[in-house]
Amino acid sequence: IMIIGNDFEVIMYIRNYQKSDLKSVIFLFRETVHSINSKDYTQEQVKIWAPENIDEKSWHLSLLNHYTLVAIDKEKIVGFVDLDENYVDRLYVAKDYQRQKIATRLMDKIENYAKKQGQISLYSHVSITAKKFFLDRGYIVNKEQYVEKQNILFKNYVMEKFL
């Protein structure tokens, strides 16, 4: 557990994902994509990216099989990240908690964990929205790409950081 703030009113910490987190994590993902990522992607794109019906079982298995962390504020999940070997799969922070260093703290923990596991670099498929955050952390753009999902193209970036 890592305490993020030293303000006693706001006790924010990071811990490993557990099964009881699933519905909150999916809600946070959908809400974030629809409110934050919608600034860089169309309504059609965000509906495909974060649909109404998400396969909870496959998400849970994926989060469980990855090294997954959640950020908690007053018993509410406000961010999460998951790592599959050297691939940062998902990094999301709740819309009302943006720009409070939550993603920074989550990524610090992921990068430190990856180093201890012997990884020499991390990579991710990064949205237009998150590109600046990753650049500021020292990630480089290996390539810009368009990924097709349900016949719709999504622009993102393959980004990498050497640890």
Side-chain angles (χ1 to χ4, degrees):
I1 293 178
M2 179 177 95
I3 303 297
I4 291 179
N6 53 5
D7 176 352
F8 291 105
E9 284 183 39
V10 180
I11 301 296
M12 197 175 295
Y13 62 96
I14 293 173
R15 65 161 168 76
N16 290 347
Y17 167 82
Q18 51 200 36
K19 186 175 184 176
S20 59
D21 299 333
L22 181 63
K23 288 193 185 305
S24 296
V25 164
I26 289 174
F27 176 81
L28 184 153
F29 162 72
R30 285 196 76 256
E31 187 179 58
T32 302
V33 170
H34 284 266
S35 60
I36 303 299
N37 297 99
S38 63
K39 296 173 182 123
D40 297 303
Y41 294 90
T42 66
Q43 276 308 115
E44 185 178 30
Q45 288 171 318
V46 298
K47 281 181 184 170
I48 291 168
W49 181 353
E52 202 60 46
N53 297 318
I54 288 175
D55 182 348
E56 290 186 8
K57 186 177 181 183
S58 69
W59 261 65
H60 175 62
L61 290 174
S62 171
L63 293 167
L64 212 52
N65 289 327
H66 297 171
Y67 178 66
T68 305
L69 299 173
V70 294
I72 311 287
D73 177 34
K74 297 178 188 151
E75 299 181 31
K76 177 183 178 185
I77 294 176
V78 296
F80 73 97
V81 63
D82 66 312
L83 179 71
D84 182 11
E85 294 185 23
N86 70 330
Y87 177 66
V88 179
D89 193 354
R90 291 163 281 215
L91 171 64
Y92 291 91
V93 173
K95 66 179 178 113
D96 297 333
Y97 287 81
Q98 297 283 311
R99 305 202 183 291
Q100 294 182 30
K101 301 272 186 225
I102 295 166
T104 298
R105 301 304 193 312
L106 287 167
M107 285 301 295
D108 287 348
K109 300 276 279 181
I110 285 291
E111 289 172 6
N112 288 332
Y113 173 82
K115 279 183 205 170
K116 288 178 185 164
Q117 299 304 305
Q119 299 296 343
I120 57 169
S121 71
L122 290 182
Y123 77 101
S124 189
H125 294 157
V126 176
S127 68
I128 296 166
T129 315
K131 181 183 176 191
K132 183 182 181 325
F133 171 80
F134 279 86
L135 286 171
D136 290 348
R137 289 194 64 81
Y139 285 72
I140 57 166
V141 176
N142 283 341
K143 74 175 182 177
E144 180 181 301
Q145 66 182 3
Y146 288 86
V147 177
E148 186 179 328
K149 194 169 181 179
Q150 296 179 24
N151 297 317
I152 300 295
L153 292 176
F154 292 79
K155 180 180 178 178
N156 70 18
Y157 306 89
V158 178
M159 297 184 75
E160 181 177 24
K161 178 180 182 176
F162 291 91
L163 302 173

